[in-house]
Amino acid sequence: PLMMVAHCAGLTSTIRLGTAVCVLPLYQPQRLLSEIGFADIVANGRLELGVGLGYQQFEFERFGVDIDEAPAVFSEYLDIILKGLNQNVFEHDGQYEKIPPTAISVRTVQQPTPPIWIAGGAARMARAYREGHNFFVTAFHDGLETLATLRESVERAAASKEKNVTDVKISLLRCCYASHDELEINSYLDNARFQRRLSEALHQRRQQSHDGYLLQETPTQQDLSFETMRKNLPIGSVNRVIDRLLEEIDILKPDQIAVQTQLGDFDQKTMLRQIELWGDKIIPAVNKALCHAGS
């Protein structure tokens, strides 16, 4: 992800650039600190650093990391990252890393650190409130009930650290797609379900296919029908997407929504058309409705 940030930094000048996410247990933390510093320098202070602990057994095995230890490794590596960003010279004596006094010469432009976003469950939400980080949440392909449950988890995490819910920012990762073309919508839903099946296969440690490379797409108990997915998600006509987003924002009250429109084999032309639709119609309408609601 940081390589993509560095690439985009040279093509842009104002948009902020984020990672969603760097899987901390798969990195060497001292090296990652240098790469974070470099990415923020070439972006002239526009880096948003998203970190997570990972979930794919397939991936962890190939990096030689025990996935069962991922939460503990993540926690320790985040400690190291924070030390390295906040201190000119730092050291660390932990369960997984022992680092003598060390200076990272490639320092971030943003001081003391770029904004940090944490992905994950309740324990990491609580850490975000304790240390002032932001965090990502997702409801996958579920609907309003799951978003309400997420909001309750956010409120509990804030209360556990005696913080206000608004003390940190929340970003919701959401599958969204606007179109009046039924075939295009069904193609999007098929791609979204396909991606979810592969994610579950990697998470639940299923075997690879016979060629040892591509994973097998296997229907699972988590599968939802296209009808249910359309009911649950901001998918459909422009007006339907706008209305649904406003419902979801009212329940979860996120600061940002990470809109996931690029899935599967959609071509660039289709995606550019989708981006223009969001920029021209959906985002302005949502912002206008929220401004009216706020006033």
Side-chain angles (χ1 to χ4, degrees):
L2 286 166
M3 293 181 72
M4 178 64 83
V5 166
H7 170 71
C8 291
L11 303 174
T12 60
S13 58
T14 58
I15 190 172
R16 296 191 65 80
L17 303 166
T19 59
V21 293
C22 294
V23 179
L24 285 192
L26 306 183
Y27 284 85
Q28 207 279 349
Q30 300 94 307
R31 183 184 183 96
L32 182 59
L33 277 164
S34 294
E35 294 179 358
I36 291 167
F38 178 81
D40 199 44
I41 288 169
V42 297
N44 195 26
R46 292 182 285 135
L47 175 65
E48 302 270 330
L49 179 64
V51 295
L53 61 80
Y55 69 94
Q56 297 180 5
Q57 172 73 9
F58 175 90
E59 188 175 39
F60 273 69
E61 285 177 349
R62 281 147 186 80
F63 277 89
V65 180
D66 184 349
I67 196 169
D68 294 326
E69 296 186 4
V73 176
F74 171 87
S75 181
E76 183 171 325
Y77 281 15
L78 183 54
D79 289 343
I80 295 170
I81 296 301
L82 292 171
K83 286 181 182 180
L85 291 172
N86 282 282
Q87 303 170 23
N88 289 331
V89 179
F90 74 96
E91 57 186 308
H92 182 80
D93 183 12
Q95 180 180 354
Y96 299 100
E97 294 287 337
K98 300 189 183 301
I99 304 171
T102 299
I104 303 296
S105 59
V106 188
R107 311 293 300 178
T108 57
V109 173
Q110 299 176 89
Q111 291 294 323
T113 75
I116 294 174
W117 295 78
I118 298 177
R124 287 169 295 288
M125 279 186 202
R127 177 166 186 170
Y129 275 106
R130 184 176 75 243
E131 299 179 354
H133 309 310
N134 308 316
F135 59 87
F136 298 107
V137 295
T138 181
F140 299 106
H141 298 157
D142 294 341
L144 300 180
E145 186 176 329
T146 296
L147 288 170
T149 301
L150 271 176
R151 179 65 188 183
E152 291 170 2
S153 297
V154 170
E155 291 173 351
R156 282 196 300 271
S160 73
K161 301 303 174 186
E162 299 182 342
K163 301 287 186 179
N164 293 321
V165 174
T166 55
D167 286 347
V168 305
K169 292 180 180 178
I170 304 166
S171 181
L172 171 65
L173 176 62
R174 203 64 167 143
C175 287
C176 307
Y177 199 84
S179 177
H180 293 281
D181 185 329
E182 288 297 313
L183 289 177
E184 195 172 292
I185 288 174
N186 284 337
S187 180
Y188 178 82
L189 293 169
D190 189 40
N191 285 328
R193 193 165 66 182
F194 170 78
Q195 184 185 55
R196 184 77 186 129
R197 284 171 175 172
L198 294 191
S199 295
E200 289 171 12
L202 289 163
H203 176 56
Q204 296 174 9
R205 313 180 188 191
R206 294 199 191 99
Q207 295 299 311
Q208 293 170 271
S209 58
H210 296 302
D211 64 7
Y213 177 64
L214 293 175
L215 286 170
Q216 205 90 26
E217 180 192 4
T218 308
T220 73
Q221 291 182 339
Q222 305 299 321
D223 277 353
L224 299 176
S225 67
F226 286 180
E227 181 182 5
T228 300
M229 291 171 70
R230 286 188 67 160
K231 179 183 175 184
N232 286 350
L233 296 163
I235 291 172
S237 69
V238 168
N239 287 338
R240 152 71 183 167
V241 170
I242 292 167
D243 291 345
R244 184 61 177 201
L245 283 172
L246 290 170
E247 283 186 281
E248 296 190 353
I249 291 167
D250 186 58
I251 291 170
L252 183 62
K253 299 175 176 60
D255 299 273
Q256 298 179 9
I257 297 178
V259 177
Q260 194 168 18
T261 57
Q262 171 63 66
L263 292 173
D265 59 358
F266 278 140
D267 57 53
Q268 185 187 31
K269 186 177 180 180
T270 302
M271 283 299 95
L272 289 174
R273 189 170 65 247
Q274 185 72 196
I275 290 170
E276 289 169 357
L277 196 59
W278 280 80
D280 292 342
K281 295 186 177 180
I282 299 172
I283 294 172
V286 170
N287 285 337
K288 183 177 180 180
L290 292 175
C291 286
H292 284 319
S295 60

